[in-house]
Amino acid sequence: TMAVTVENRAYIGKGKILIRKRGAIATPFRYIGATSKLDLAIATEKKELPNLETVGGGNLITLERVKSLTGSTEGYNFSAENLSLALRAGLSDDAAGAAITGEKHIALAGSLVPFAHLPDLAGEMTAVIDVTAARANTTAYAKGATILASSGIYQATTAGPSGAAPPTFNATVGDTTTDGTVVWTSRGAAAMAEDTDYVKSAVGLSIVSERFVLGLPVSVGYTQSAARYVELLTSSGDEYELFFEGLNELRNGAAAPVRLYVVKFSPTSGLGLKGDDFGKLTLNFDALPDQTIVGLGLSQYGKIGVSG
């Protein structure tokens, strides 16, 4: 008799995952960064016609249909492009060097004031208390209301109506002036000083002065830093082509490529943005048919290469 031998095709997969938008043939595949897995799964539904003609039972006919071909990968590259896949997001960009002026915020002692854009910390930053309203006679003021008087900022720390005539304001920061039944507390000059009123932050400024204890409106100016933003849930999801530059470690790195012609990524069900371990980005997708592919024996979904 002749001995039967079976070649060992054990597999440990390594390699890079690359994608490009479907139809963008002139666009190169983009490497999505470090990944730890690529899984594919086929889901089916089965119809069975039981055999009721004999006592032995069993099925007379079975039909199993493929419902879906799905996949997932786990990656560690939190690029804007990868996040956009998981969050059905569009991307927007800020150019470096743009001058931002007159940006309005409310500043509160001990709080962060995040800017609308990322500031260039090497550039100039300005901040002023943005109060221009003059005091009015016999007017009800709520606690926290602000006025500008004699080039100083005053804030109502006791609510009430103002008097029939302007008082003489006490300009010493923290001191009070009674005006009818409203009590004004001096908050000093409109100009804000770094390290006295605020300290710079990578995303704005942090308020450190107690003259902002009730919150004050401020206006800031700064130089914009280059940044890319992931605009959450602004896309219906593009279709991509996926290429796995697969290698079989057990066959000395022999090529084992996988190509999926149409994949559509699903929104993530969870995104961990803080922790002690490396952040992991799970991307699930549906593999769909490319109906332009026709021919006997040709798949519309993709193919897997087995070298040698």
Side-chain angles (χ1 to χ4, degrees):
T1 61
M2 181 178 294
V4 177
T5 61
V6 178
E7 184 180 6
N8 184 358
R9 285 282 181 173
Y11 176 82
I12 296 179
K14 307 291 183 180
K16 297 179 179 179
I17 299 173
L18 306 98
I19 62 171
R20 68 179 173 192
K21 279 189 179 181
R22 187 178 177 223
I25 302 301
T27 302
F29 279 97
R30 176 178 71 83
Y31 170 50
I32 67 172
T35 52
S36 59
K37 75 171 189 177
L38 175 63
D39 294 338
L40 296 179
I42 296 175
T44 63
E45 61 178 355
K46 193 172 185 178
K47 294 185 177 294
E48 299 174 335
L49 180 64
N51 182 0
L52 303 179
E53 298 180 350
T54 68
V55 295
N59 287 324
L60 189 63
I61 301 173
T62 63
L63 173 65
E64 190 168 17
R65 296 189 181 118
V66 172
K67 291 177 60 178
S68 64
L69 173 60
T70 59
S72 66
T73 181
E74 291 180 349
Y76 300 89
N77 181 2
F78 277 59
S79 68
E81 291 81 3
N82 287 351
L83 286 171
S84 72
L85 299 177
L87 299 170
R88 288 285 171 91
L91 299 177
S92 62
D93 294 280
D94 279 351
I100 307 299
T101 60
E103 188 176 293
K104 310 294 185 183
H105 296 278
I106 297 296
L108 182 67
S111 71
L112 172 71
V113 177
F115 294 168
H117 309 272
L118 291 182
D120 179 358
L121 296 183
E124 183 180 0
M125 183 183 294
T126 61
V128 296
I129 301 174
D130 188 25
V131 174
T132 58
R135 174 199 171 276
N137 292 334
T138 58
T139 298
Y141 286 96
K143 185 176 181 178
T146 53
I147 60 171
L148 177 65
S150 302
S151 301
I153 305 298
Y154 295 86
Q155 188 169 39
T157 49
T158 299
S162 59
T168 300
F169 284 96
N170 187 340
T172 302
V173 176
D175 283 358
T176 61
T177 300
T178 300
D179 174 17
T181 59
V182 62
V183 177
W184 301 106
T185 298
S186 173
R187 299 305 189 197
M192 294 172 61
E194 184 177 358
D195 297 327
T196 299
D197 291 311
Y198 67 89
V199 293
K200 289 181 179 179
S201 158
V203 295
L205 52 84
S206 294
I207 305 300
V208 296
S209 172
E210 285 303 311
R211 66 181 180 136
F212 295 87
V213 66
L214 292 182
L216 290 169
V218 298
S219 177
V220 298
Y222 56 94
T223 300
Q224 178 177 283
S225 181
R228 171 158 274 196
Y229 294 93
V230 180
E231 305 285 353
L232 308 184
L233 300 178
T234 57
S235 171
S236 60
D238 293 316
E239 293 180 343
Y240 290 83
E241 184 178 0
L242 183 147
F243 190 89
F244 175 45
E245 192 181 2
L247 306 170
N248 187 351
E249 187 174 10
L250 294 180
R251 291 181 60 83
N252 297 317
V258 178
R259 191 165 196 157
L260 301 176
Y261 302 134
V262 185
V263 299
K264 190 164 187 176
F265 291 95
S266 302
T268 183
S269 60
L271 182 64
L273 295 175
K274 183 177 180 179
D276 292 328
D277 295 325
F278 291 107
K280 182 169 60 177
L281 186 62
T282 300
L283 296 174
N284 299 313
F285 59 83
D286 288 310
L288 306 174
D290 181 350
Q291 296 179 330
T292 66
I293 297 176
V294 293
L296 184 64
L298 296 180
S299 171
Q300 293 185 334
Y301 290 87
K303 57 186 178 181
I304 298 175
V306 180
S307 64

